[in-house]
Amino acid sequence: MKISFEKQPGDASYAISFFWKITLETESPTVVTDHFIPELFYDYFFIKEGKIKCLDKTLKSKFDLPQQVLKSIHAHPLIFVFSTPLILYGARLSLNFAESFWEEMPMNTFLNQTWLKNNPEDLDEFARQVTNCLAMRKTRKLPCPMLSMDFGESDWLASYSPRHKRRLYKTVFGMSRKELQNIRNVHSFLEQTCNFASENPRIIHYLNPDVFYDQPHLNHIFKKMTGFSPVEYIEASSVLQDNLMSASYNEVSSP
Amino acid sequence: MKFKKSKNDIVNDYIESLEDDIAPLFLAVRESVLAAGPVFNESIKWKNCLVYGTTKNHIQTVVGKGKVSLIFFDGVSLKDKHALLEGDGSKARTMRITSLDFNKNALTDYVQQTLKNTK
């Protein structure tokens, strides 16, 4: 199997972290399984060639992704089954995209969207069409951003009651702050430089005590969120997820 | 920095971001791994670990101070006639490489065994 992954910078004014294109080529048509874990990003997919089936074990559903689709934040793992040859374009959108999205953004869903008017020939054209669409349709749901760069709550929310804030989170992000924080906690562990070779520090040395009480706590949350133990996770190959995650960690972070 | 570009932009970004003192060693190791296992796809797992995989990840490269470690995820299944693999875990074994005159034959042997064992 030959895999290529291209990346292009996004546009922060539209909450686009980056654009990407992945190509999977095999000698004969086959299926490739990819494990997707929860992340604090929205992903827009355009399937140029091939098929993607999504298995959601938590919701016990199985369906083909439409050609253009927006993946909202999921709080549980997903399995994507790619049929090769596959050419897939995508735009990774940061959390604050939800604040300017023109529709409701429920969690754990794939929203049918048509952001592209024409079939793009390359990543440049895909990026141009997505940016144009967002520029035209962007709608501010709130007067100011809810979250700061470091995931802190913006000052203007301080005067609201906890109940009203819960409603705001649900309306904007489709999930509670606690659910968002749980996903962030797992990634605060993953985005470290971990080296689990023998004779090297063990997982426990990478635990942030402000986030996880102990290793069983990490293992429990990690398994719930990803379906794997931390060590199983690094061995598992997730062609698309690994690349997207790595690209996201190495981007300048935005909420 | 001159190196054979990967088909993965993120891998290229990662290599370009390596410190000058470790980059030559890293590139030499990468060249040997890819020569021994041309079917490998490269990707970056987590934030900054280069992994070589086919349908599953097999080898992880970790850059340390003055060394490059290659972690063979199923290293326990490798026949270690060169006695260069370290570790006593239930699965993984590590080959530490600290200089450019590392044992390329051993590395090639480990990589080829890894690929053979996955078939």
Side-chain angles (χ1 to χ4, degrees):
Chain A
M1 180 169 62
K2 286 185 180 169
I3 304 168
S4 70
F5 186 85
E6 290 173 53
K7 193 179 84 143
Q8 199 178 101
D11 184 338
S13 56
Y14 300 116
I16 306 167
S17 296
F18 57 89
F19 299 100
W20 52 268
K21 176 189 174 188
I22 193 163
T23 310
L24 306 187
E25 291 171 71
T26 46
E27 282 172 8
S28 54
T30 185
V31 290
V32 179
T33 306
D34 217 62
H35 297 272
F36 248 70
I37 67 167
E39 285 186 276
L40 293 181
F41 291 98
Y42 301 92
D43 286 303
Y44 181 70
F45 297 125
F46 173 76
I47 308 167
K48 188 175 166 76
E49 192 181 340
K51 274 189 172 179
I52 303 179
K53 195 179 276 297
C54 177
L55 306 179
D56 188 331
K57 287 185 179 169
T58 311
L59 300 180
K60 294 182 179 142
S61 62
K62 184 176 170 183
F63 51 92
D64 284 334
L65 288 192
Q67 192 183 30
Q68 296 192 45
V69 72
L70 176 67
K71 177 180 162 287
S72 74
I73 296 178
H74 282 64
H76 56 257
L78 293 172
I79 295 173
F80 283 167
V81 182
F82 302 135
S83 303
T84 64
L86 180 84
I87 303 176
L88 178 66
Y89 287 91
R92 177 146 272 209
L93 305 148
S94 59
L95 199 51
N96 56 6
F97 167 74
E99 296 177 18
S100 59
F101 184 52
W102 48 93
E103 291 177 21
E104 270 187 39
M105 183 73 91
M107 66 190 281
N108 301 331
T109 51
F110 287 88
L111 302 167
N112 262 306
Q113 296 286 308
T114 314
W115 294 6
L116 304 189
K117 287 181 183 161
N118 306 309
N119 198 342
E121 284 303 313
D122 55 27
L123 191 55
D124 278 340
E125 197 190 328
F126 171 79
R128 206 166 34 246
Q129 287 196 50
V130 169
T131 309
N132 287 344
C133 173
L134 295 189
M136 281 191 341
R137 300 173 81 174
K138 177 178 164 179
T139 314
R140 276 226 73 85
K141 285 180 181 161
L142 299 165
C144 301
M146 286 180 71
L147 300 172
S148 61
M149 293 288 280
D150 61 354
F151 199 66
E153 227 169 51
S154 295
D155 292 343
W156 68 275
L157 288 171
S159 55
Y160 289 107
S161 68
R163 188 174 173 214
H164 187 65
K165 281 198 278 190
R166 278 199 299 274
R167 279 189 194 149
L168 280 178
Y169 276 101
K170 203 78 184 167
T171 308
V172 174
F173 302 110
M175 61 204 316
S176 67
R177 182 168 170 83
K178 191 179 172 211
E179 286 167 319
L180 292 171
Q181 186 67 55
N182 283 343
I183 297 173
R184 188 177 157 85
N185 287 348
V186 168
H187 287 277
S188 72
F189 167 74
L190 282 178
E191 68 189 359
Q192 302 172 94
T193 306
C194 290
N195 175 2
F196 297 140
S198 305
E199 297 182 13
N200 278 316
R202 305 290 181 177
I203 289 175
I204 195 155
H205 294 117
Y206 291 100
L207 287 184
N208 177 350
D210 296 335
V211 178
F212 299 107
Y213 302 115
D214 51 17
Q215 193 171 327
H217 184 212
L218 165 76
N219 289 349
H220 175 73
I221 300 281
F222 198 93
K223 186 107 186 172
K224 191 176 163 192
M225 202 72 82
T226 66
F228 293 106
S229 72
V231 174
E232 282 168 349
Y233 179 70
I234 196 159
E235 285 183 44
S237 171
S238 296
V239 174
L240 179 59
Q241 163 85 87
D242 288 350
N243 284 314
L244 290 181
M245 217 161 95
S246 167
S248 308
Y249 287 162
N250 291 299
E251 286 286 309
V252 176
S253 59
S254 60
Chain B
M1 197 188 309
K2 279 180 78 175
F3 61 93
K4 190 187 170 198
K5 295 277 181 191
S6 169
K7 285 187 170 182
N8 188 327
D9 281 353
I10 300 170
V11 172
N12 295 328
D13 290 348
Y14 170 70
I15 294 173
E16 278 160 11
S17 72
L18 289 171
E19 301 283 341
D20 290 345
D21 55 347
I22 199 69
L25 181 60
F26 181 88
L27 291 174
V29 171
R30 175 176 178 255
E31 197 181 314
S32 296
V33 173
L34 292 177
V39 294
F40 278 138
N41 287 299
E42 298 172 285
S43 69
I44 302 289
K45 184 90 180 178
W46 296 8
K47 190 173 184 181
N48 48 10
C49 294
L50 178 67
V51 291
Y52 300 93
T54 49
T55 51
K56 187 180 172 213
N57 293 331
H58 300 296
I59 306 169
Q60 176 194 353
T61 314
V62 181
V63 174
K65 201 168 183 180
K67 68 175 181 190
V68 173
S69 301
L70 281 174
I71 301 168
F72 294 86
F73 290 132
D74 195 25
V76 74
S77 68
L78 303 179
K79 285 178 189 146
D80 187 13
K81 60 184 179 194
H82 313 279
L84 290 174
L85 295 179
E86 301 170 24
D88 54 5
S90 58
K91 281 191 83 182
R93 292 291 180 268
T94 306
M95 179 181 181
R96 279 173 221 283
I97 299 169
T98 51
S99 75
L100 282 166
D101 61 352
F102 65 93
N103 189 336
K104 292 190 177 68
N105 290 335
L107 178 53
T108 303
D109 179 36
Y110 296 144
V111 171
Q112 286 175 345
Q113 281 192 59
T114 301
L115 280 172
K116 199 175 164 192
N117 291 345
T118 60
K119 283 177 186 166

